[in-house]
Amino acid sequence: MRILNYGLNLISGGISRLFVKSKVLPEKPLEQFELNPTNPTFYIVRLNSRFDLAALARVCKRNGLPDPTEQQVLGDKALDRFIGIKNPPPLFGNKEKPTNALDQGKQIIEHLLYSGQKNVQVVPVTILWGRAPGKEKPGLSTLLSHSLTPSWFRKIFVVLFSGRDNFIRFSQPLDLSLLVNEKADVNELPHKLLRVARVHFKRQKLAATGPKIPSRDQLFSSLLASPTIKKAIQTEASEKNISQAQARQNALKLLDEIAANYSDATIRVADRILTWLWNKLYNGIDIKYTEQIHDLTNKGHEIIYMPCHRSHMDYLLLTYSIYHQGLVPPHIAAGINLNFFPAGGIFRRSGAFFIRRSFAGNKLYSAVFKEYLSQLFIKGYSVKFYTEGGRSRTGRLLPPKTGMLAMTMQAMLRGIDRPISIVPVYIGYEHVMEINTYLKELAGNDKKGESILGIFKAIKNLKNYGRGYLNFGDPISINQYLNDNQPDWRESIHATDVQKPQWLGPQVANLADQVMVKINNAAALNSVNLLAMILLVNDKQALSKPKLLAQLEFYLRLQREASYSSKITAPDETPEQLLEHALKLNKFDVISDEFGEIIAISDKEKTLFNYYRNNILHIFAVPSLVALHLFKQHQSTVTQCHQLVKSFYPLFAKEWYLQELDESYVTRILTNFSDQGLIALDGDNIKVTQNNDSFAKLEMLGRALSFTLQRYAIVIGFIQTSQGIEKAELERESYVLAQRLGTLHGIKTPEFFDKKVLSSFISNLREQKLISESDSGLLQGSPALCETYKQLQTLLPARIWQSITDIVHAQCK
């Protein structure tokens, strides 16, 4: 028997070497889970398969882990390291023999109980051959996949067809101390160990492949049979005076327009194409904080990805990154504008479902879409949608659109029994493909629709776009959010259609704002946005190389030691390395003279760089305010700095979606300024170090906020100097003055003139109760607003303040 086993292992190992290519997660399990190769180690897997063992053995050898084909000595016993819970079914018949997993588990637990040894490592390993979820009605493709447990004979074909897509995930070693410390029957503990492992593997497989896919006809039939859509069809027939059959046909057409047609084969092909594309476009994709998603999937959570939206590349980048983290690509809510030939069909087969910009006046469409979305959650699919609704043209987060989130929460009120968590995602680039188009649209050009010609043009212009950045923010459990903020939410649960509860709108709006805050909390600093922060505030957008490197080091150290959020990521490279990398992107001019080199933003890039600066301006908002105050005053107190920040922070928080102010944040900033030699702290007293270097660094940091404060001064100035002003007039006059300031002082920041930004700021003032509306509809300022106006005067340059007040006073006489 031993010779036979050796021979079979040799054959399976040979086939594995020829046909198997394994994707391993995490990439370095030894370091990730702090495994000790000298400790007794076992690998527990779902299936007791020689091919699984051979693939695992190769991976373990590459990663310096103990060989699973060998036995592990525990005390005076030698046990197989490879523990397979389930045997493959026999070639004939349908009842497989039990494995020796239960006996192995019993001996491991007995060893722990009676030897006192605590260093035994039992590592769960998920091994999949291909990532196909399988179909609810199995066909030939399912028989050749690993979605059904294959016999040893069928496993040969599985390996031949799917060996290049072998996926192996190591998980955190099981904490056996929790088992052995339980006051339970010793004989029951091995059974519990295997039950825990089975649940773990079921969740891991669902997370990697998703649920089984129904046929499109089967899905549509089940949806049309739902009470919600039946009711909507009856209403459609009645209101449009058509037959029930015609109304049903209309519903079927809408389903065909909306529904995804997910194909694992399309995903595999797309994976290879995108791997080539990323290598051509980017120098790398930095992905951070993925462990949070795996924690959620391990706990059986349904996941909703809610990223910011910078570019059409977001669709591809996020889905690709999720897939390479060993997770099933989410179903994506895509705008109907992307449903054009041939891209629409490819997107649909990649998991995209299409949504119209408005549901207004179309009750049938609304009912069909909501029911489809609800079915996605009920069946266990992860979903992705962009909370901003569209791509940001300025680099700032747009106000959230709450429609999809509201429908998601309504789906929960249908009684979904799994917890649902939102994962906010920050996406950033060193170059956004559409940035020139965005600038034209901000200048007033019409938005162009997507087309196949646009795709070919984009492909033709492919070039080095630097690096891409994808940071997963802190998850938000919707269940926990509702428990905390709407304890009676479960009383609204209904098995079919739900009358929208009164509390839903306010809770959705608040939750959407929290998502935006967590997106900005996870922002990524990079070479381009940091250089944009520095160079845009300087005359001619240029700076000598030594001064530039010194300011860059100042910002990097500030973020390392006094970061706005622990999730903010900063480059590991030195300032010199960052600059060298940025210069390769052809966005900068290097001018040399006898005094050295000057780094300048290229003329054609100057306006565009505001976009990249706006990606991270919120990170520097408070440090910039403090630096500006200290630069203008030369000396101050810690108390005054705290008071200044408290005065402006509510306005900043609403504009940039900032988290609640941490009282220690300002103190950490001041401590960092002191450690970097810019100020001297003496108890509560602050004095700026009397040298040009300190003044220059504080001035450059402070000027980053200058345009924002100028915009504040324009709006508040009109309110303060008038006897009351209508909102429409305030917006109009503020817009005209912003344009004039731009002409007078060379301001080219697009959002400085953005009517939506001005309107949002006015709404923000009202929300903060800094302005109120009289019975006659006129806006009037509060005493607190008057104090803010006085503070603005101390912060802005005299020439800017003079330009603002001259026009404001002239207009309000």
Side-chain angles (χ1 to χ4, degrees):
M1 180 61 73
R2 181 171 294 179
I3 295 174
L4 177 61
N5 284 336
Y6 177 79
L8 292 173
N9 286 340
L10 197 63
I11 293 171
S12 59
I15 294 175
S16 178
R17 281 190 294 274
L18 289 173
F19 295 100
V20 176
K21 181 179 180 181
S22 299
K23 165 75 174 177
V24 182
L25 286 174
E27 293 181 356
K28 298 179 180 179
L30 198 68
E31 298 175 10
Q32 177 79 22
F33 301 124
E34 298 180 351
L35 300 175
N36 187 342
T38 63
N39 287 344
T41 303
F42 297 89
Y43 305 96
I44 187 166
V45 300
R46 187 182 71 87
L47 193 63
N48 187 29
S49 162
R50 296 184 190 278
F51 286 108
D52 289 12
L53 174 59
L56 178 61
R58 292 180 65 207
V59 166
C60 287
K61 184 177 181 179
R62 287 203 307 266
N63 286 275
L65 291 166
D67 188 346
T69 64
E70 296 178 353
Q71 290 191 317
Q72 176 67 57
V73 176
L74 276 186
D76 58 353
K77 297 178 180 177
L79 304 177
D80 290 336
R81 281 201 176 113
F82 188 77
I83 305 175
I85 296 177
K86 180 183 176 69
N87 268 327
L91 187 58
F92 302 103
N94 55 12
K95 189 174 182 181
E96 66 271 6
K97 295 179 180 179
T99 69
N100 63 348
L102 192 63
D103 182 59
Q104 287 173 284
K106 182 179 179 181
Q107 294 189 63
I108 291 171
I109 288 172
E110 285 179 348
H111 176 79
L112 292 172
L113 285 171
Y114 302 122
S115 72
Q117 190 175 1
K118 297 181 180 180
N119 61 346
V120 176
Q121 302 170 144
V122 178
V123 183
V125 184
T126 303
I127 303 175
L128 298 175
W129 299 87
R131 304 270 291 278
K135 297 182 178 180
E136 290 186 357
K137 288 186 177 180
L140 179 61
S141 61
T142 305
L143 295 175
L144 294 177
S145 76
H146 203 235
S147 56
L148 297 176
T149 303
S151 66
W152 64 267
F153 182 72
R154 192 162 65 84
K155 187 63 172 277
I156 295 174
F157 293 95
V158 169
V159 173
L160 293 178
F161 280 93
S162 301
R164 308 301 290 179
D165 291 309
N166 177 240
F167 173 76
I168 297 179
R169 173 183 288 286
F170 291 86
S171 296
Q172 185 73 38
L174 299 175
D175 189 351
L176 298 180
S177 64
L178 295 177
L179 278 177
V180 298
N181 291 334
E182 283 188 4
K183 295 179 180 178
D185 185 351
V186 174
N187 294 322
E188 178 61 25
L189 295 181
H191 291 277
K192 186 168 184 177
L193 172 63
L194 297 191
R195 284 197 300 271
V196 169
R198 287 191 188 98
V199 171
H200 173 80
F201 291 133
K202 183 178 180 181
R203 287 177 174 173
Q204 288 290 305
K205 185 176 185 297
L206 185 64
T209 67
K212 292 183 179 179
I213 301 175
S215 70
R216 202 167 170 81
D217 290 341
Q218 182 184 357
L219 173 64
F220 289 0
S221 296
S222 65
L223 286 169
L224 291 173
S226 71
T228 302
I229 295 185
K230 278 185 175 180
K231 183 179 177 181
I233 289 172
Q234 291 174 354
T235 303
E236 174 87 350
S238 174
E239 291 183 350
K240 294 188 176 180
N241 196 25
I242 59 177
S243 67
Q244 289 269 351
Q246 182 61 49
R248 190 176 189 277
Q249 192 64 28
N250 291 346
L252 187 61
K253 288 179 180 177
L254 291 175
L255 277 172
D256 191 55
E257 174 191 308
I258 293 167
N261 189 21
Y262 183 84
S263 165
D264 177 67
T266 301
I267 294 294
R268 291 200 307 272
V269 172
D271 174 45
R272 286 161 175 75
I273 294 173
L274 289 178
T275 298
W276 167 83
L277 183 64
W278 299 143
N279 289 333
K280 184 174 179 63
L281 283 180
Y282 300 110
N283 294 331
I285 306 296
D286 290 350
I287 306 172
K288 303 292 185 184
Y289 309 123
T290 57
E291 64 278 0
Q292 300 173 126
I293 310 175
H294 296 305
D295 288 343
L296 292 175
T297 58
N298 289 341
K299 296 173 183 175
H301 281 236
E302 192 91 31
I303 297 179
I304 300 170
Y305 300 94
M306 292 181 64
C308 60
H309 202 2
R310 312 286 192 207
S311 164
H312 280 320
M313 296 303 288
D314 300 345
Y315 295 102
L316 305 176
L317 176 61
L318 181 53
T319 298
Y320 178 87
S321 300
I322 290 169
Y323 184 73
H324 275 258
Q325 291 303 312
L327 301 169
V328 62
H331 277 52
I332 309 162
I336 195 69
N337 59 308
L338 294 177
N339 190 20
F340 61 89
F341 179 83
I346 297 171
F347 290 154
R348 199 183 293 275
R349 293 180 73 80
S350 300
F353 59 96
F354 294 98
I355 180 172
R356 294 179 183 177
R357 292 299 181 189
S358 173
F359 292 14
N362 196 332
K363 296 179 182 178
L364 182 61
Y365 182 86
S366 178
V368 167
F369 186 87
K370 288 179 181 178
E371 186 65 22
Y372 175 75
L373 183 64
S374 180
Q375 283 299 308
L376 291 181
F377 292 127
I378 289 170
K379 288 182 175 292
Y381 293 103
S382 58
V383 172
K384 176 179 77 176
F385 56 84
Y386 297 92
T387 183
E388 295 168 283
R391 291 165 292 157
S392 170
R393 266 63 177 172
T394 63
R396 297 156 50 105
L397 290 185
L398 301 175
K401 306 288 187 183
T402 57
M404 280 292 295
L405 186 55
M407 285 186 280
T408 298
M409 293 181 71
Q410 282 183 283
M412 287 189 62
L413 300 181
R414 300 280 296 273
I416 296 173
D417 58 358
R418 289 185 305 281
I420 299 179
S421 286
I422 295 171
V423 176
V425 187
Y426 175 91
I427 302 176
Y429 304 92
E430 289 183 326
H431 179 87
V432 173
M433 291 178 64
E434 305 96 326
I435 194 164
N436 286 294
T437 303
Y438 293 167
L439 189 61
K440 293 176 183 177
E441 291 176 13
L442 288 169
N445 291 7
D446 292 334
K447 178 181 181 294
K448 292 184 178 180
E450 280 69 32
S451 67
I452 186 62
L453 292 177
I455 291 178
F456 285 133
K457 185 178 179 181
I459 292 174
K460 180 182 176 183
N461 294 330
L462 293 183
K463 58 181 181 180
N464 176 16
Y465 288 153
R467 300 187 70 83
Y469 299 85
L470 197 153
N471 292 345
F472 293 98
D474 288 326
I476 303 173
S477 166
I478 298 183
N479 306 65
Q480 189 60 51
Y481 171 84
L482 289 175
N483 289 340
D484 293 340
N485 296 279
Q486 194 68 41
D488 61 345
W489 70 276
R490 295 184 185 278
E491 297 173 11
S492 304
I493 287 179
H494 194 278
T496 56
D497 198 10
V498 188
Q499 185 67 34
K500 187 186 296 185
Q502 291 184 347
W503 54 260
L504 185 65
Q507 294 296 0
V508 167
N510 184 53
L511 181 57
D513 281 349
Q514 286 195 27
V515 172
M516 306 304 275
V517 168
K518 290 183 180 293
I519 289 174
N520 264 346
N521 279 2
L525 298 169
N526 61 54
S527 64
V528 172
N529 56 36
L530 282 167
L531 291 177
M533 280 287 303
I534 297 168
L535 292 174
L536 284 175
V537 302
N538 285 279
D539 295 336
K540 305 297 184 181
Q541 291 77 50
L543 196 62
S544 69
K545 184 176 179 180
K547 292 292 185 184
L548 176 62
L549 292 173
Q551 194 73 6
L552 190 52
E553 174 60 34
F554 169 34
Y555 287 1
L556 288 171
R557 186 173 169 188
L558 175 64
Q559 290 308 312
R560 285 194 294 266
E561 298 173 6
S563 182
Y564 155 75
S565 163
S566 61
K567 280 284 192 296
I568 300 292
T569 58
D572 295 326
E573 294 89 348
T574 65
E576 290 79 8
Q577 290 170 329
L578 288 175
L579 180 58
E580 181 183 357
H581 166 72
L583 292 178
K584 294 177 182 177
L585 301 179
N586 298 319
K587 296 178 181 291
F588 304 90
D589 293 329
V590 180
I591 305 162
S592 298
D593 58 25
E594 59 185 293
F595 299 107
E597 292 182 334
I598 295 173
I599 310 298
I601 300 174
S602 301
D603 286 340
K604 65 179 181 179
E605 301 280 353
K606 286 181 180 179
T607 304
L608 303 179
F609 259 65
N610 288 285
Y611 185 98
Y612 302 112
R613 191 239 352 239
N614 288 344
N615 289 174
I616 61 166
L617 185 56
H618 67 283
I619 299 174
F620 291 92
V622 174
S624 179
L625 180 65
V626 174
L628 183 59
H629 167 70
L630 294 175
F631 170 75
K632 297 281 286 186
Q633 302 300 321
H634 291 194
Q635 58 185 18
S636 182
T637 66
V638 174
T639 302
Q640 287 175 338
C641 289
H642 276 280
Q643 289 173 342
L644 180 68
V645 171
K646 283 183 179 180
S647 176
F648 280 93
Y649 196 82
L651 301 177
F652 293 169
K654 190 66 178 178
E655 176 157 348
W656 289 306
Y657 300 101
L658 302 183
Q659 62 190 355
E660 289 185 14
L661 180 62
D662 180 357
E663 292 290 339
S664 69
Y665 183 34
V666 177
T667 303
R668 286 187 283 116
I669 291 169
L670 292 172
T671 301
N672 178 267
F673 286 179
S674 175
D675 292 343
Q676 298 206 52
L678 305 183
I679 62 174
L681 284 173
D682 182 13
D684 191 50
N685 296 316
I686 304 171
K687 188 174 182 179
V688 177
T689 305
Q690 297 298 306
N691 62 60
N692 292 334
D693 183 59
S694 297
F695 284 122
K697 287 182 177 178
L698 290 173
E699 182 187 20
M700 276 191 277
L701 177 56
R703 290 179 69 178
L705 202 61
S706 180
F707 294 153
T708 301
L709 298 180
Q710 289 176 41
R711 180 162 32 85
Y712 288 3
I714 291 170
V715 175
I716 297 173
F718 277 118
I719 298 171
Q720 286 298 111
T721 54
S722 69
Q723 298 301 311
I725 186 170
E726 292 182 348
K727 184 175 186 290
E729 182 183 358
L730 176 60
E731 290 179 1
R732 183 175 59 254
E733 296 292 350
S734 297
Y735 174 70
V736 172
L737 178 51
Q739 286 187 311
R740 183 174 178 83
L741 276 182
T743 302
L744 288 172
H745 302 288
I747 301 171
K748 295 182 179 180
T749 304
E751 73 275 7
F752 190 71
F753 321 100
D754 195 324
K755 293 179 181 179
K756 292 180 180 179
V757 173
L758 290 167
S759 179
S760 295
F761 178 63
I762 295 168
S763 299
N764 189 4
L765 291 175
R766 181 181 295 181
E767 189 174 321
Q768 302 300 326
K769 297 185 172 19
L770 292 172
I771 60 174
S772 59
E773 188 173 343
S774 67
D775 294 338
S776 57
L778 299 178
L779 298 178
Q780 297 173 326
S782 67
L785 188 68
C786 182
E787 289 301 314
T788 301
Y789 195 52
K790 291 178 182 177
Q791 289 173 324
L792 285 169
Q793 183 175 5
T794 68
L795 294 169
L796 293 177
R799 60 190 177 85
I800 300 290
W801 185 259
Q802 189 66 47
S803 297
I804 294 172
T805 54
D806 282 350
I807 297 174
V808 165
H809 284 283
Q811 292 296 109
C812 296
K813 282 183 179 179

